Amino acid sequence: MAKIVVYTRDPCPFCRQAMALLSSKGVEFEEVEMGDDEALHKEVRRLSGRLTVPQIFVDGKPLGGYQEIRELDATGELDELLGSEK
């Protein structure tokens, strides 16, 4: 199964929606609440090329945020990337 990391910041409705979608796939993921950690924000921006949260990484590869994984789910690609069978 893939290693999934979701970088979030509270409050963030898109973060909750992304984690709910991942949970519905039956996969385990690590949530990293970034809070006010500017160094962590800077590192996630560097790795993802994006300024928004959530930022979702699968096996170190940035997938984007909620909108992007929802689109991947609609095409069936998300299950393949996650290694899920749903």
Side-chain angles (χ1 to χ4, degrees):
M1 186 149 316
K3 177 176 171 58
I4 304 161
V5 181
V6 182
Y7 291 91
T8 65
R9 188 165 184 182
D10 194 43
C12 172
F14 293 111
C15 297
R16 288 191 300 275
Q17 290 174 316
M19 290 187 292
L21 176 55
L22 292 171
S23 292
S24 77
K25 297 293 179 180
V27 296
E28 293 183 17
F29 58 88
E30 176 186 358
E31 177 188 5
V32 178
E33 199 337 297
M34 296 192 299
D36 293 327
D37 185 337
E38 279 305 313
L40 182 55
H41 282 272
K42 187 175 183 178
E43 180 65 7
V44 171
R45 280 191 297 266
R46 184 185 73 75
L47 293 171
S48 68
R50 298 168 186 243
L51 301 172
T52 59
V53 289
Q55 285 304 312
I56 301 150
F57 291 79
V58 175
D59 291 333
K61 177 186 173 191
L63 296 187
Y66 173 64
Q67 181 67 34
E68 288 79 15
I69 67 165
R70 194 176 75 187
E71 290 171 6
L72 289 168
D73 188 41
T75 65
E77 293 176 77
L78 184 60
D79 289 330
E80 185 177 317
L81 290 168
L82 299 176
S84 68
E85 298 181 17
K86 284 193 170 191

